[in-house]
Amino acid sequence: MKKDFRKSTVYQIYPKSFRDTNKDGLGDLRGVIEKLDYIKELGADYIWLTPFFVSPQNDNGYDVADYYRIDPAYGTMEDVEELIGESAKRGIGLMFDMVFNHVSTSHEWFQKAMEGDPYYKDFFFFRKGRADGTPPTNWESKFGGNAWEYVEKFDEYYLHLFDVSQADLNWDNENVRREIQKIVKFWMEKGVKGFRFDVINLISKRAFEDDDCGDGRKYYTDGPNIHRYLKELHDTTFGTDAEIITVGEMSSTSIENCYQYAGHDTGELSMVFSFHHLKVDFMGNEKWVLVPADFQKLKDIIFEWQTKMEQHNAWNAVFWCNHDQPRVVSRFGDEGRYWKESAKMLGTVIHCLRGTPYVYQGEELGMTDTDFTEISQFRDVESLNHYQILQDKGLSPSDALRIVQVHSRDNGRTPMQWDASLYAGFTDKDGVAPWIGVNGNHTRINAAAQLEDEDSVFRYYQRLIALRKELDVIAFGSIEPLAVKHPSVFAYRRSYKGEELLVAANFYGKDCEWKTAPDTAGYRQVIGNYKDSSTPENGVWKLRPYEVSVWFKSN
Ligand code: TEU
Ligand code: CA
C-alpha cells in the first residue's frame, strides 16, 4: 500500500535563514535540530529542507558540487544523520531537495568535461555557436542574459538555464540517469522519507532552435522524454519504497502534463508544485514589472487546477510561499492594519483546499517582505542581475529598486524571526551579523511572542494543520468552486461521504456582501479569524475586512 499522505502538512525550511547555532551568521543543520520541537508543536508531518550539499553557493545551494557530502557551512554528515533520527523520533519525515536539472560548474563531472574528457562532456550540452559568432540559440537564462556560455578552449558553448555556474545536465545520456539514481538511493538508505525535485520538468530538451516568440522555454518545458525519465527514476529508486513521498517542482508546466506527473497510479510523483497562480502579479511571463494582483485570475487558476486535478485523480501541492516567492501577507494580504486577519485568511484558503499544504518557514508567523531600502542589502543573484537589466532597459535606479523590492526572492529569505533580540534569535546577539538583514519588524512579529498568544497567527496555523487531521472532508473531499465571479470573495465547498465544508473569505480590506451564499443551517463553524462570525441571512453573507469563516456539517 502506498503511503496515504493526504492528512499531512509539509513545513519547508531554508536552512541558511532558519537558525544559526555557531554564530557565523549562516543558518545550519544543528539549527534545524534545535527547532524540531517547534515544528512538532506546529503539527507538521514532513520537513522539506532546501539543499545543504557541497556548493559554491552562487544560488544558495541550488548549484550542487557534490550530492554525497554536506557543505561545511551547514554542518556534517553526522548532523544530517542526527537530524533524520531526531525527526523520526518526533514522527516527522525529512524530504530532501534534489537538484538534477543542472550541477554546479565546480562539480567533478563538469570539471572533467572542461578537461576535455568526452565521457563527461556528454553529461552536458556543449554546442557550436553559429557562423555569425552568436550562441547556438537565443534562449534566455531564468536569471537574465543568454542561456549559453562560451568556452574558448573548445570554441563551444554550454547550456545553463539558470546561473552561468549551473550547467544543465544531459538526461538523454543514460550514464547521467544512472548517476542520479545512485544519488537518490544513497539518501533513501540514510532514511530520508521524501524528495522534492527541483525544476524537474525541464530535464528533457526538445530541440536546440531559436524561439521566435519567447525565451526558449517551449523547447525544454515538459519535454518529449519527461514522463519516461520520471517513470524510470520512480521504478529504479523511490518507487520501490511505499513510504516515500515526492513532489516535483514544475516550471511553466501545463495541467495536462501534471495529470501524468502526479496521477494516482501513473508511477511518477506523489504531487506537483505549479506556479500559475503566483504569476497573477506578472505581465504574462514577465516578472520584473509592477502590476496589481489580478484577483479574478487568481481564483480562476486555483479553481481550474483544483477541479481538473481532481477529475483526473491527480494530486496538488497547495501553497502560497517558498524561498523563491515574496511573503504572501505582503503580496495578497495587508502588512498594516489587517496584518493578522489577512495572514490567517490566506492560510485558511490554502489549508482547506484539496491537496497537500506546504508552510514555508515564517509564514506561520505572518512574516512580511523585507524592509530593504538599498540594493546593497539584496543578496539573490536573480535580483542583482535583473536590477542591472532593468537599468540597461532605461529604468532609473530607484524604479529598478522598487521592482526588485516587490518581486525579489530575498523577500522570503530574511532570517526567521524567533524573538525580539538584535538578530531575531536567528543568531545570538554576540554572533556575526546574519548573511542577509533581519526585518526590523521582528520586535513585533516573532515566534516567542506568538507562542504566548492564543490568538496568534502561529496558533491559528496549528489549528489549521490539526483540522486536516480531524476532518476527513478536508483531506479527502471533492471541491466545488463558489462565488466564482465575486469581486472580493474567495469561496468553495468540499464534500465527502455526507460531510460538507464551506469556506468563505473576503480578500480585501473593506466589508463585503456575498449575496448568493449557500444556506448554512445545520453547520457549525470550525475555524475563523474574527470573533462572533456571522452566517448568511436570507442568502446574504456579510464578511468583514479579510474575514474568513469555515463551516462544517456531517450527516
Ligand atoms: O526554482 C525554479 C524557478 O524557475 C523559479 O522559482 C525561479 O526562482 C523563478 O522563476 C525566477 O524568477 C528552483 C529553485 O526553487 C530556485 O531556488 C533555484 O534558484 C532554481 O530552481 C534553480 O535551481
Ligand atoms: Ca552557522
Side-chain angles (χ1 to χ4, degrees):
M1 261 284 277
K2 261 200 289 183
K3 176 102 183 164
D4 192 348
F5 49 82
R6 290 176 296 174
K7 291 204 165 211
S8 301
T9 297
V10 183
Y11 188 80
Q12 184 196 348
I13 293 182
Y14 196 67
K16 193 169 186 173
S17 303
F18 193 62
R19 163 78 182 136
D20 170 26
T21 55
N22 64 346
K23 306 188 192 192
D24 63 357
L26 304 166
D28 41 57
L29 293 166
R30 300 219 63 83
V32 181
I33 298 173
E34 190 186 290
K35 298 297 184 183
L36 283 174
D37 286 333
Y38 169 87
I39 296 156
K40 179 74 191 159
E41 172 143 25
L42 182 63
D45 304 276
Y46 290 93
I47 294 173
W48 153 27
L49 270 176
T50 64
F52 44 79
F53 311 106
V54 171
S55 157
Q57 302 287 324
N58 291 333
D59 188 19
N60 285 349
Y62 282 91
D63 45 331
V64 180
D66 187 342
Y67 294 89
Y68 297 101
R69 288 190 305 132
I70 310 310
D71 197 298
Y74 289 108
T76 63
M77 188 60 88
E78 287 68 45
D79 294 335
V80 172
E81 286 164 355
E82 188 178 328
L83 175 59
I84 295 172
E86 287 300 315
S87 303
K89 274 190 207 159
R90 291 165 177 81
I92 298 173
L94 282 185
M95 298 172 75
F96 281 7
D97 201 329
M98 298 283 121
V99 187
F100 290 146
N101 175 67
H102 43 264
V103 297
S104 163
T105 50
S106 312
H107 194 287
E108 193 189 356
W109 302 337
F110 193 80
Q111 292 292 312
K112 288 191 171 154
M114 289 297 273
E115 286 162 18
D117 182 336
Y119 180 84
Y120 287 103
K121 266 191 94 179
D122 194 39
F123 271 43
F124 301 94
F125 297 105
F126 281 92
R127 292 288 184 281
K128 287 287 176 205
R130 287 179 287 202
D132 64 358
T134 55
T137 72
N138 66 350
W139 301 359
E140 280 165 35
S141 150
K142 307 255 183 203
F143 294 163
N146 186 272
W148 296 92
E149 180 71 4
Y150 184 61
V151 181
E152 197 173 347
K153 91 184 211 201
F154 303 141
D155 186 27
E156 284 173 339
Y157 295 76
Y158 69 85
L159 178 69
H160 64 91
L161 294 181
F162 293 88
D163 188 52
V164 27
S165 67
Q166 293 166 300
D168 278 55
L169 281 170
N170 175 15
W171 276 66
D172 299 326
N173 179 343
E174 205 186 322
N175 297 320
V176 167
R177 305 205 301 276
R178 224 176 278 134
E179 289 291 348
I180 283 165
Q181 292 162 17
K182 258 169 56 187
I183 298 165
V184 175
K185 283 187 209 153
F186 175 85
W187 289 110
M188 282 170 64
E189 277 159 26
K190 292 270 181 202
V192 168
K193 290 290 172 222
F195 295 101
R196 179 253 190 199
F197 294 107
D198 189 61
V199 289
I200 197 68
N201 66 325
L202 306 187
I203 58 174
S204 171
K205 275 71 175 172
R206 193 178 306 279
F208 293 101
E209 289 169 20
D210 267 0
D211 190 345
D212 300 330
C213 52
D215 57 10
R217 67 183 72 194
K218 69 178 179 204
Y219 290 107
Y220 55 75
T221 303
D222 301 324
N225 295 316
I226 180 68
H227 296 289
R228 179 156 80 80
Y229 294 159
L230 276 178
K231 281 192 174 71
E232 181 185 76
L233 189 62
H234 170 279
D235 292 351
T236 53
T237 64
F238 56 84
T240 62
D241 182 344
E243 279 285 300
I244 286 188
I245 69 166
T246 52
V247 56
E249 189 205 23
M250 301 300 172
S251 170
S252 298
T253 190
S254 75
I255 195 164
E256 291 76 19
N257 275 291
C258 289
Y259 306 152
Q260 283 289 315
Y261 294 143
H264 180 66
D265 48 14
T266 49
E268 295 188 19
L269 302 170
S270 314
M271 62 191 127
V272 284
F273 290 123
S274 66
F275 294 90
H276 301 278
H277 67 297
L278 296 177
K279 294 183 179 177
V280 298
D281 51 3
F282 290 14
M283 210 186 275
N285 282 323
E286 183 49 49
K287 161 170 168 175
W288 302 96
V289 290
L290 291 183
V291 290
D294 184 336
F295 177 59
Q296 187 61 52
K297 207 161 150 190
L298 180 76
K299 285 201 289 185
D300 291 347
I301 293 170
I302 291 180
F303 287 147
E304 182 189 4
W305 280 76
Q306 285 283 304
T307 52
K308 289 192 179 166
M309 290 291 272
E310 180 184 341
Q311 280 159 21
H312 289 83
N313 205 9
W315 197 248
N316 284 302
V318 288
F319 69 105
W320 293 126
C321 297
N322 66 32
H323 62 292
D324 295 331
Q325 300 294 329
R327 292 285 179 177
V328 70
V329 68
S330 304
R331 192 176 192 178
F332 300 139
D334 175 10
E335 278 187 19
R337 177 160 173 207
Y338 297 111
W339 164 73
K340 196 194 273 187
E341 289 81 0
S342 62
K344 291 178 178 178
M345 181 278 286
L346 289 160
T348 315
V349 167
I350 282 293
H351 280 256
C352 294
L353 286 174
R354 177 182 177 277
T356 298
Y358 283 68
V359 179
Y360 177 59
Q361 65 184 46
E363 178 185 344
E364 77 283 11
L365 305 174
M367 273 178 62
T368 65
D369 279 351
T370 68
D371 51 6
F372 295 166
T373 53
E374 282 168 41
I375 192 69
S376 62
Q377 294 172 286
F378 288 87
R379 297 285 176 268
D380 182 22
V381 52
E382 187 202 37
S383 301
L384 300 175
N385 286 351
H386 282 279
Y387 178 68
Q388 197 46 56
I389 291 168
L390 288 167
Q391 290 178 71
D392 294 345
K393 284 184 185 158
L395 268 76
S396 69
S398 62
D399 286 347
L401 178 64
R402 186 69 205 122
I403 295 178
V404 169
Q405 285 169 326
V406 169
H407 288 295
S408 176
R409 305 194 297 180
D410 285 338
N411 284 313
R413 298 179 180 183
T414 59
M416 177 73 177
Q417 293 169 199
W418 295 108
D419 60 37
S421 66
L422 178 63
Y423 296 136
F426 163 71
T427 195
D428 298 349
K429 287 186 283 287
D430 57 345
V432 174
W435 68 278
I436 187 169
V438 171
N439 194 312
N441 66 19
H442 73 277
T443 51
R444 185 166 51 86
I445 301 175
N446 64 65
Q450 295 199 21
L451 286 166
E452 296 300 311
D453 172 7
E454 281 311 308
D455 186 44
S456 64
V457 181
F458 179 91
R459 292 293 174 205
Y460 191 94
Y461 265 75
Q462 191 181 40
R463 179 88 191 103
L464 282 174
I465 292 168
L467 210 53
R468 174 169 288 262
K469 299 206 187 314
E470 287 162 25
L471 304 180
D472 286 350
V473 67
I474 299 184
F476 312 131
S478 67
I479 177 128
E480 180 197 348
L482 299 172
V484 177
K485 293 286 169 205
H486 195 290
S488 41
V489 171
F490 197 119
Y492 52 88
R493 192 196 331 257
R494 306 284 314 277
S495 319
Y496 181 72
K497 293 191 178 165
E499 291 183 3
E500 302 251 321
L501 189 86
L502 197 58
V503 179
N506 177 359
F507 246 71
Y508 290 89
K510 283 194 204 121
D511 290 336
C512 78
E513 288 188 348
W514 177 19
K515 295 207 173 87
T516 52
D519 186 13
T520 50
Y523 282 71
R524 65 180 168 93
Q525 192 192 31
V526 286
I527 195 165
N529 61 350
Y530 274 79
K531 292 200 174 66
D532 321 312
S533 292
S534 65
T535 46
E537 262 175 56
N538 305 322
V540 178
W541 201 341
K542 293 187 173 145
L543 292 162
R544 287 161 283 184
Y546 295 103
E547 179 165 6
V548 67
S549 197
V550 182
W551 296 76
F552 173 74
K553 182 178 85 171
S554 71
N555 286 344

mmCIF file of all heavy atoms in Angstrom, residues 15-16 19-29 31 72-75 426-427, ligand 2:
data_model
loop_
_atom_site.group_PDB
_atom_site.id
_atom_site.type_symbol
_atom_site.label_atom_id
_atom_site.label_comp_id
_atom_site.label_asym_id
_atom_site.label_seq_id
_atom_site.Cartn_x
_atom_site.Cartn_y
_atom_site.Cartn_z
ATOM 1 N N PRO A 15 17.536 26.343 5.206
ATOM 2 C CA PRO A 15 18.398 26.302 6.392
ATOM 3 C C PRO A 15 19.292 27.536 6.557
ATOM 4 O O PRO A 15 19.553 27.954 7.677
ATOM 5 C CB PRO A 15 19.241 25.038 6.207
ATOM 6 C CG PRO A 15 18.775 24.378 4.971
ATOM 7 C CD PRO A 15 17.675 25.163 4.354
ATOM 8 N N LYS A 16 19.700 28.097 5.450
ATOM 9 C CA LYS A 16 20.598 29.246 5.545
ATOM 10 C C LYS A 16 19.979 30.404 6.344
ATOM 11 O O LYS A 16 20.686 31.218 6.942
ATOM 12 C CB LYS A 16 20.940 29.716 4.125
ATOM 13 C CG LYS A 16 22.089 30.695 4.062
ATOM 14 C CD LYS A 16 22.553 30.912 2.628
ATOM 15 C CE LYS A 16 23.799 31.791 2.629
ATOM 16 N NZ LYS A 16 24.406 31.904 1.299
ATOM 17 N N ARG A 19 18.163 29.000 11.416
ATOM 18 C CA ARG A 19 18.733 29.191 12.756
ATOM 19 C C ARG A 19 20.223 28.868 12.690
ATOM 20 O O ARG A 19 20.625 27.803 12.236
ATOM 21 C CB ARG A 19 18.001 28.282 13.747
ATOM 22 C CG ARG A 19 18.721 28.056 15.063
ATOM 23 C CD ARG A 19 18.610 29.226 16.046
ATOM 24 N NE ARG A 19 19.379 28.910 17.248
ATOM 25 C CZ ARG A 19 20.197 29.776 17.869
ATOM 26 N NH1 ARG A 19 20.337 31.015 17.436
ATOM 27 N NH2 ARG A 19 20.858 29.394 18.946
ATOM 28 N N ASP A 20 21.016 29.822 13.171
ATOM 29 C CA ASP A 20 22.475 29.711 13.175
ATOM 30 C C ASP A 20 22.929 29.364 14.585
ATOM 31 O O ASP A 20 22.724 30.142 15.513
ATOM 32 C CB ASP A 20 23.047 31.065 12.723
ATOM 33 C CG ASP A 20 24.553 31.150 12.920
ATOM 34 O OD1 ASP A 20 25.217 30.090 12.912
ATOM 35 O OD2 ASP A 20 25.044 32.286 13.073
ATOM 36 N N THR A 21 23.554 28.194 14.750
ATOM 37 C CA THR A 21 23.941 27.789 16.114
ATOM 38 C C THR A 21 25.404 28.084 16.452
ATOM 39 O O THR A 21 25.782 28.027 17.605
ATOM 40 C CB THR A 21 23.709 26.273 16.336
ATOM 41 O OG1 THR A 21 24.397 25.550 15.316
ATOM 42 C CG2 THR A 21 22.231 25.944 16.304
ATOM 43 N N ASN A 22 26.230 28.352 15.438
ATOM 44 C CA ASN A 22 27.653 28.580 15.762
ATOM 45 C C ASN A 22 28.085 30.018 15.493
ATOM 46 O O ASN A 22 29.272 30.301 15.336
ATOM 47 C CB ASN A 22 28.549 27.575 15.029
ATOM 48 C CG ASN A 22 28.461 27.754 13.522
ATOM 49 O OD1 ASN A 22 27.560 28.437 13.021
ATOM 50 N ND2 ASN A 22 29.388 27.161 12.793
ATOM 51 N N LYS A 23 27.116 30.910 15.430
ATOM 52 C CA LYS A 23 27.370 32.352 15.408
ATOM 53 C C LYS A 23 28.196 32.847 14.233
ATOM 54 O O LYS A 23 28.897 33.840 14.355
ATOM 55 C CB LYS A 23 28.057 32.782 16.714
ATOM 56 C CG LYS A 23 27.303 32.360 17.968
ATOM 57 C CD LYS A 23 27.926 32.987 19.194
ATOM 58 C CE LYS A 23 27.372 32.337 20.458
ATOM 59 N NZ LYS A 23 27.712 33.067 21.668
ATOM 60 N N ASP A 24 28.150 32.132 13.105
ATOM 61 C CA ASP A 24 28.898 32.626 11.940
ATOM 62 C C ASP A 24 27.982 33.402 10.984
ATOM 63 O O ASP A 24 28.393 33.779 9.887
ATOM 64 C CB ASP A 24 29.620 31.487 11.211
ATOM 65 C CG ASP A 24 28.665 30.450 10.641
ATOM 66 O OD1 ASP A 24 27.425 30.575 10.858
ATOM 67 O OD2 ASP A 24 29.136 29.503 9.991
ATOM 68 N N GLY A 25 26.734 33.590 11.375
ATOM 69 C CA GLY A 25 25.815 34.385 10.560
ATOM 70 C C GLY A 25 25.089 33.584 9.493
ATOM 71 O O GLY A 25 24.270 34.130 8.746
ATOM 72 N N LEU A 26 25.380 32.279 9.421
ATOM 73 C CA LEU A 26 24.750 31.398 8.428
ATOM 74 C C LEU A 26 23.960 30.320 9.156
ATOM 75 O O LEU A 26 24.497 29.660 10.065
ATOM 76 C CB LEU A 26 25.820 30.703 7.578
ATOM 77 C CG LEU A 26 26.814 31.598 6.838
ATOM 78 C CD1 LEU A 26 28.006 30.781 6.339
ATOM 79 C CD2 LEU A 26 26.118 32.285 5.670
ATOM 80 N N GLY A 27 22.743 30.124 8.752
ATOM 81 C CA GLY A 27 21.943 29.063 9.359
ATOM 82 C C GLY A 27 22.579 27.706 9.094
ATOM 83 O O GLY A 27 23.318 27.533 8.127
ATOM 84 N N ASP A 28 22.291 26.729 9.967
ATOM 85 C CA ASP A 28 22.948 25.431 9.827
ATOM 86 C C ASP A 28 22.018 24.291 10.246
ATOM 87 O O ASP A 28 20.910 24.525 10.757
ATOM 88 C CB ASP A 28 24.256 25.409 10.630
ATOM 89 C CG ASP A 28 24.099 26.085 11.993
ATOM 90 O OD1 ASP A 28 23.212 25.623 12.747
ATOM 91 O OD2 ASP A 28 24.811 27.065 12.283
ATOM 92 N N LEU A 29 22.497 23.064 10.020
ATOM 93 C CA LEU A 29 21.664 21.887 10.299
ATOM 94 C C LEU A 29 21.408 21.709 11.788
ATOM 95 O O LEU A 29 20.328 21.274 12.198
ATOM 96 C CB LEU A 29 22.315 20.630 9.705
ATOM 97 C CG LEU A 29 22.354 20.625 8.174
ATOM 98 C CD1 LEU A 29 23.292 19.548 7.658
ATOM 99 C CD2 LEU A 29 20.954 20.446 7.601
ATOM 100 N N GLY A 31 20.893 23.990 13.708
ATOM 101 C CA GLY A 31 19.792 24.927 13.971
ATOM 102 C C GLY A 31 18.447 24.267 13.706
ATOM 103 O O GLY A 31 17.464 24.519 14.414
ATOM 104 N N PRO A 72 30.279 22.317 4.507
ATOM 105 C CA PRO A 72 30.718 22.574 5.885
ATOM 106 C C PRO A 72 30.027 23.778 6.531
ATOM 107 O O PRO A 72 29.868 23.819 7.758
ATOM 108 C CB PRO A 72 32.224 22.835 5.762
ATOM 109 C CG PRO A 72 32.608 22.487 4.377
ATOM 110 C CD PRO A 72 31.387 22.240 3.554
ATOM 111 N N ALA A 73 29.584 24.731 5.732
ATOM 112 C CA ALA A 73 28.872 25.880 6.318
ATOM 113 C C ALA A 73 27.590 25.414 7.014
ATOM 114 O O ALA A 73 27.135 26.035 7.975
ATOM 115 C CB ALA A 73 28.538 26.899 5.235
ATOM 116 N N TYR A 74 26.998 24.310 6.537
ATOM 117 C CA TYR A 74 25.753 23.808 7.117
ATOM 118 C C TYR A 74 25.978 22.763 8.203
ATOM 119 O O TYR A 74 25.112 22.545 9.038
ATOM 120 C CB TYR A 74 24.875 23.202 6.025
ATOM 121 C CG TYR A 74 24.279 24.232 5.086
ATOM 122 C CD1 TYR A 74 24.733 24.352 3.771
ATOM 123 C CD2 TYR A 74 23.265 25.082 5.515
ATOM 124 C CE1 TYR A 74 24.194 25.304 2.907
ATOM 125 C CE2 TYR A 74 22.723 26.027 4.662
ATOM 126 C CZ TYR A 74 23.189 26.135 3.357
ATOM 127 O OH TYR A 74 22.648 27.071 2.515
ATOM 128 N N GLY A 75 27.122 22.065 8.136
ATOM 129 C CA GLY A 75 27.383 21.043 9.153
ATOM 130 C C GLY A 75 28.063 19.832 8.562
ATOM 131 O O GLY A 75 28.818 19.937 7.591
ATOM 132 N N PHE A 426 17.850 34.484 15.315
ATOM 133 C CA PHE A 426 18.393 33.664 14.227
ATOM 134 C C PHE A 426 19.832 33.316 14.571
ATOM 135 O O PHE A 426 20.264 32.172 14.497
ATOM 136 C CB PHE A 426 18.326 34.431 12.901
ATOM 137 C CG PHE A 426 19.210 33.843 11.824
ATOM 138 C CD1 PHE A 426 18.885 32.637 11.227
ATOM 139 C CD2 PHE A 426 20.380 34.494 11.424
ATOM 140 C CE1 PHE A 426 19.713 32.083 10.246
ATOM 141 C CE2 PHE A 426 21.199 33.957 10.449
ATOM 142 C CZ PHE A 426 20.864 32.743 9.863
ATOM 143 N N THR A 427 20.579 34.337 14.945
ATOM 144 C CA THR A 427 21.892 34.083 15.513
ATOM 145 C C THR A 427 21.948 34.859 16.823
ATOM 146 O O THR A 427 21.147 35.757 17.061
ATOM 147 C CB THR A 427 23.023 34.468 14.529
ATOM 148 O OG1 THR A 427 24.233 33.881 14.973
ATOM 149 C CG2 THR A 427 23.199 35.961 14.398
HETATM 150 CA CA CA B 2 26.144 28.657 11.277
#
